[in-house]
PDB file of all heavy atoms in Angstrom:
ATOM      1  N   SER A 159      -8.762 -17.892  -9.239  1.00 95.00           N
ATOM      2  CA  SER A 159      -9.665 -17.550 -10.326  1.00 95.00           C
ATOM      3  C   SER A 159     -11.100 -17.679  -9.832  1.00 95.00           C
ATOM      4  O   SER A 159     -11.383 -18.361  -8.843  1.00 95.00           O
ATOM      5  CB  SER A 159      -9.436 -18.470 -11.534  1.00 95.00           C
ATOM      6  OG  SER A 159      -9.753 -19.820 -11.204  1.00 95.00           O
ATOM      7  N   ARG A 160     -12.036 -17.053 -10.516  1.00 93.00           N
ATOM      8  CA  ARG A 160     -13.424 -17.022 -10.040  1.00 93.00           C
ATOM      9  C   ARG A 160     -14.127 -18.367 -10.169  1.00 93.00           C
ATOM     10  O   ARG A 160     -15.152 -18.599  -9.519  1.00 93.00           O
ATOM     11  CB  ARG A 160     -14.193 -15.932 -10.780  1.00 93.00           C
ATOM     12  CG  ARG A 160     -13.734 -14.521 -10.394  1.00 93.00           C
ATOM     13  CD  ARG A 160     -14.448 -13.459 -11.182  1.00 93.00           C
ATOM     14  NE  ARG A 160     -15.888 -13.471 -10.937  1.00 93.00           N
ATOM     15  CZ  ARG A 160     -16.752 -12.750 -11.648  1.00 93.00           C
ATOM     16  NH1 ARG A 160     -16.325 -11.989 -12.646  1.00 93.00           N
ATOM     17  NH2 ARG A 160     -18.037 -12.808 -11.371  1.00 93.00           N
ATOM     18  N   ASP A 161     -13.590 -19.287 -10.992  1.00 94.00           N
ATOM     19  CA  ASP A 161     -14.158 -20.631 -11.046  1.00 94.00           C
ATOM     20  C   ASP A 161     -13.451 -21.580 -10.086  1.00 94.00           C
ATOM     21  O   ASP A 161     -13.839 -22.741  -9.944  1.00 94.00           O
ATOM     22  CB  ASP A 161     -14.110 -21.187 -12.470  1.00 94.00           C
ATOM     23  CG  ASP A 161     -12.684 -21.373 -12.989  1.00 94.00           C
ATOM     24  OD1 ASP A 161     -11.717 -20.982 -12.284  1.00 94.00           O
ATOM     25  OD2 ASP A 161     -12.532 -21.894 -14.105  1.00 94.00           O
ATOM     26  N   GLY A 162     -12.398 -21.093  -9.411  1.00 94.00           N
ATOM     27  CA  GLY A 162     -11.695 -21.892  -8.420  1.00 94.00           C
ATOM     28  C   GLY A 162     -10.697 -22.886  -8.970  1.00 94.00           C
ATOM     29  O   GLY A 162     -10.067 -23.623  -8.204  1.00 94.00           O
ATOM     30  N   ASN A 163     -10.485 -22.910 -10.277  1.00 95.00           N
ATOM     31  CA  ASN A 163      -9.600 -23.908 -10.876  1.00 95.00           C
ATOM     32  C   ASN A 163      -8.142 -23.478 -10.927  1.00 95.00           C
ATOM     33  O   ASN A 163      -7.251 -24.322 -11.041  1.00 95.00           O
ATOM     34  CB  ASN A 163     -10.064 -24.255 -12.292  1.00 95.00           C
ATOM     35  CG  ASN A 163     -11.370 -25.017 -12.304  1.00 95.00           C
ATOM     36  OD1 ASN A 163     -11.630 -25.811 -11.395  1.00 95.00           O
ATOM     37  ND2 ASN A 163     -12.203 -24.775 -13.304  1.00 95.00           N
ATOM     38  N   TYR A 164      -7.900 -22.173 -10.851  1.00 95.00           N
ATOM     39  CA  TYR A 164      -6.534 -21.676 -10.998  1.00 95.00           C
ATOM     40  C   TYR A 164      -6.141 -20.753  -9.843  1.00 95.00           C
ATOM     41  O   TYR A 164      -6.984 -20.134  -9.195  1.00 95.00           O
ATOM     42  CB  TYR A 164      -6.377 -20.902 -12.314  1.00 95.00           C
ATOM     43  CG  TYR A 164      -6.551 -21.753 -13.543  1.00 95.00           C
ATOM     44  CD1 TYR A 164      -7.755 -21.747 -14.242  1.00 95.00           C
ATOM     45  CD2 TYR A 164      -5.524 -22.561 -14.004  1.00 95.00           C
ATOM     46  CE1 TYR A 164      -7.932 -22.534 -15.367  1.00 95.00           C
ATOM     47  CE2 TYR A 164      -5.677 -23.350 -15.130  1.00 95.00           C
ATOM     48  CZ  TYR A 164      -6.878 -23.339 -15.814  1.00 95.00           C
ATOM     49  OH  TYR A 164      -7.054 -24.124 -16.918  1.00 95.00           O
ATOM     50  N   ILE A 165      -4.844 -20.683  -9.650  1.00 96.00           N
ATOM     51  CA  ILE A 165      -4.224 -19.687  -8.787  1.00 96.00           C
ATOM     52  C   ILE A 165      -3.294 -18.865  -9.667  1.00 96.00           C
ATOM     53  O   ILE A 165      -2.522 -19.431 -10.454  1.00 96.00           O
ATOM     54  CB  ILE A 165      -3.445 -20.344  -7.640  1.00 96.00           C
ATOM     55  CG1 ILE A 165      -4.402 -20.995  -6.642  1.00 96.00           C
ATOM     56  CG2 ILE A 165      -2.536 -19.325  -6.938  1.00 96.00           C
ATOM     57  CD1 ILE A 165      -3.711 -21.878  -5.629  1.00 96.00           C
ATOM     58  N   ALA A 166      -3.378 -17.566  -9.554  1.00 94.00           N
ATOM     59  CA  ALA A 166      -2.510 -16.685 -10.329  1.00 94.00           C
ATOM     60  C   ALA A 166      -1.582 -15.934  -9.395  1.00 94.00           C
ATOM     61  O   ALA A 166      -2.020 -15.390  -8.377  1.00 94.00           O
ATOM     62  CB  ALA A 166      -3.326 -15.697 -11.143  1.00 94.00           C
ATOM     63  N   GLY A 167      -0.306 -15.932  -9.725  1.00 93.00           N
ATOM     64  CA  GLY A 167       0.674 -15.160  -8.985  1.00 93.00           C
ATOM     65  C   GLY A 167       1.322 -14.134  -9.890  1.00 93.00           C
ATOM     66  O   GLY A 167       1.710 -14.460 -11.015  1.00 93.00           O
ATOM     67  N   LEU A 168       1.407 -12.888  -9.429  1.00 90.00           N
ATOM     68  CA  LEU A 168       2.014 -11.824 -10.215  1.00 90.00           C
ATOM     69  C   LEU A 168       3.390 -11.496  -9.679  1.00 90.00           C
ATOM     70  O   LEU A 168       3.583 -11.338  -8.471  1.00 90.00           O
ATOM     71  CB  LEU A 168       1.155 -10.558 -10.148  1.00 90.00           C
ATOM     72  CG  LEU A 168      -0.263 -10.622 -10.700  1.00 90.00           C
ATOM     73  CD1 LEU A 168      -0.879  -9.233 -10.650  1.00 90.00           C
ATOM     74  CD2 LEU A 168      -0.284 -11.146 -12.110  1.00 90.00           C
ATOM     75  N   LYS A 169       4.343 -11.376 -10.591  1.00 87.00           N
ATOM     76  CA  LYS A 169       5.683 -10.925 -10.217  1.00 87.00           C
ATOM     77  C   LYS A 169       6.305 -10.222 -11.405  1.00 87.00           C
ATOM     78  O   LYS A 169       6.615 -10.843 -12.420  1.00 87.00           O
ATOM     79  CB  LYS A 169       6.562 -12.086  -9.763  1.00 87.00           C
ATOM     80  CG  LYS A 169       7.884 -11.609  -9.170  1.00 87.00           C
ATOM     81  CD  LYS A 169       8.653 -12.735  -8.510  1.00 87.00           C
ATOM     82  CE  LYS A 169       9.906 -12.198  -7.826  1.00 87.00           C
ATOM     83  NZ  LYS A 169      10.669 -13.283  -7.181  1.00 87.00           N
ATOM     84  N   GLY A 170       6.450  -8.896 -11.265  1.00 83.00           N
ATOM     85  CA  GLY A 170       7.022  -8.129 -12.361  1.00 83.00           C
ATOM     86  C   GLY A 170       6.157  -8.206 -13.597  1.00 83.00           C
ATOM     87  O   GLY A 170       4.971  -7.899 -13.580  1.00 83.00           O
TER      88      GLY A 170
END
Side-chain angles (χ1 to χ4, degrees):
S159 64
R160 291 177 62 189
D161 64 355
N163 291 326
Y164 295 100
I165 290 169
L168 298 185
K169 189 170 185 180

